[in-house]
Amino acid sequence: MEVSKSLRLCLIVWNVIIAILSLNNGVEASHRIYPEYESLAASTVRQLHRTGYHFQPPQHWLNAPMCFKGSYHLFYQYNPKGSVWGNIVWAHSISMDLVNWEALEPAIFPSEPFDIKGTWSGSATVYPDGNPVIYYTGVDAKGQQVQNYAIPADVTDKKLRKWVKPKEGNPMVVADKEINGSTFRDPTTAWQTNGHWNILVGSRKGSTGVAYLFKSKDKKTWTKTARPLHEVPNTGMWECPDFFPVSTSHEKGLDFSELRKDVKHVLKVSLDVTRFEYYTIGTYFPDQDKYVPDKGQVDGWDGLKLVYGNFYASKSFYDPVKFRRVVWG
Ligand SMILES: *[C@@H]1O[C@H](CO)[C@@H](O)[C@H](O)[C@H]1NC(C)=O
């Protein structure tokens, strides 16, 4: 994506899953629903258990974010009512330095037939015209997972406090006959190839993990490609796919749409079965809508990890201020 440097736009989209209480009551970060806990407030959150440096919400459960006109915007999956996964909204904080944060009101919360049962993870994209768009998974009135979009109510508000979900064009992508609408979520940031915008959505077919690729010319109508960008048998549901270029000739980060000769691509997926994620490095063939991991890459459970330890549903963004790719998890 080409971001106007004059506006110093930066767009962060991340998924952070952190149990706020270091005592997790045996409850893990996941989409598993614990009705008995999901609206139960944490009675005490001691300062001792808070991070001194990394972002944390005021209290409770956290997981997803964005950034614009010189300030970083963090949207994250947040349960306003309880300390386990449930009641999920897109909370919103902003920062000039990624250290000091100001909490704003939630950006996206269930309100429409296409997201009334949930506003789950997704990603933000700042298009070259300077307009940010959030793609997110909504759970519709029938319990089906669909992909929606939201835009700022007022793009001249530097804080982008209010977000709207236009009636026209939502839901943006629904499961077709091939896709199981109960396992279809977490759209990526859009990237540009010859004449098209592209997004991935995580899924599974039986026990095969799948990253479906959707393409659009006008950013409104999205068409699934004949084959997924990539799939791997016996890896189960793929959540929060992340797909971005890395340079083979220098150490600076690259924006999502950089498709030069000296790039490799990284495909990272989060395996829902064990809440573990891995990535491969490979070659992206944009004309064939195909990604092929390099020879020798371990494409499955024993694959490379971004972080060893408990780290899940990560998302990266390109920071155009410091020319780096930052991963949040
Ligand atoms: C669709 O996914 C759900 C949730 O994982 C699963 O229970 C169901 O069996 C799947 N349906 C089909 C037809 O595979």
Side-chain angles (χ1 to χ4, degrees), residues 6-25:
S6 63
L7 289 172
R8 298 182 71 215
L9 300 178
C10 51
L11 176 66
I12 310 176
V13 178
W14 62 322
N15 271 350
V16 178
I17 299 185
I18 297 173
I20 295 313
L21 300 173
S22 53
L23 301 169
N24 69 4
N25 302 322

Side-chain angles (χ1 to χ4, degrees), residues 58-121:
Q59 57 174 6
H60 297 152
W61 206 93
L62 178 153
N63 143 353
M66 154 185 139
C67 161
F68 184 66
K69 292 190 183 172
S71 33
Y72 299 97
H73 290 240
L74 173 55
F75 298 97
Y76 55 97
Q77 295 267 281
Y78 180 54
N79 180 349
K81 294 187 187 157
S83 49
V84 301
W85 191 88
N87 310 301
I88 290 295
V89 304
W90 279 56
H92 184 192
S93 288
I94 58 173
S95 171
M96 298 300 288
D97 57 10
L98 299 180
V99 176
N100 299 290
W101 295 91
E102 177 191 351
L104 304 173
E105 62 262 48
I108 302 175
F109 44 86
S111 66
E112 305 296 327
F114 49 78
D115 69 8
I116 197 67
K117 291 193 173 168
T119 50
W120 292 4
S121 280

Side-chain angles (χ1 to χ4, degrees), residues 7-199:
L7 289 172
R8 298 182 71 215
L9 300 178
C10 51
L11 176 66
I12 310 176
V13 178
W14 62 322
N15 271 350
V16 178
I17 299 185
I18 297 173
I20 295 313
L21 300 173
S22 53
L23 301 169
N24 69 4
N25 302 322
V27 177
E28 74 280 20
S30 75
H31 282 166
R32 182 149 164 214
I33 297 168
Y34 294 88
E36 67 276 34
Y37 297 132
E38 70 180 8
S39 298
L40 196 65
S43 48
T44 54
V45 179
R46 279 178 287 168
Q47 198 56 33
L48 175 69
H49 292 135
R50 294 186 65 81
T51 57
Y53 182 80
H54 292 281
F55 179 84
Q56 223 178 346
Q59 57 174 6
H60 297 152
W61 206 93
L62 178 153
N63 143 353
M66 154 185 139
C67 161
F68 184 66
K69 292 190 183 172
S71 33
Y72 299 97
H73 290 240
L74 173 55
F75 298 97
Y76 55 97
Q77 295 267 281
Y78 180 54
N79 180 349
K81 294 187 187 157
S83 49
V84 301
W85 191 88
N87 310 301
I88 290 295
V89 304
W90 279 56
H92 184 192
S93 288
I94 58 173
S95 171
M96 298 300 288
D97 57 10
L98 299 180
V99 176
N100 299 290
W101 295 91
E102 177 191 351
L104 304 173
E105 62 262 48
I108 302 175
F109 44 86
S111 66
E112 305 296 327
F114 49 78
D115 69 8
I116 197 67
K117 291 193 173 168
T119 50
W120 292 4
S121 280
S123 305
T125 302
V126 178
Y127 280 102
D129 60 6
N131 288 313
V133 178
I134 287 175
Y135 298 129
Y136 70 98
T137 298
V139 184
D140 73 11
K142 291 182 185 150
Q144 292 292 292
Q145 295 166 24
V146 298
Q147 316 315 318
N148 301 325
Y149 78 102
I151 55 174
D154 174 10
V155 81
T156 65
D157 170 20
K158 217 184 142 190
K159 293 191 176 175
L160 300 174
R161 277 169 224 266
K162 283 220 167 338
W163 289 73
V164 293
K165 308 152 186 173
K167 295 253 187 306
E168 197 203 327
N170 269 316
M172 186 178 83
V173 178
V174 299
D176 64 13
K177 271 185 266 164
E178 188 196 344
I179 299 173
N180 183 342
S182 298
T183 56
F184 183 47
R185 53 186 179 260
D186 309 338
T188 61
T189 295
W191 75 92
Q192 194 169 24
T193 52
N194 276 340
H196 283 94
W197 289 92
N198 302 260
I199 54 171

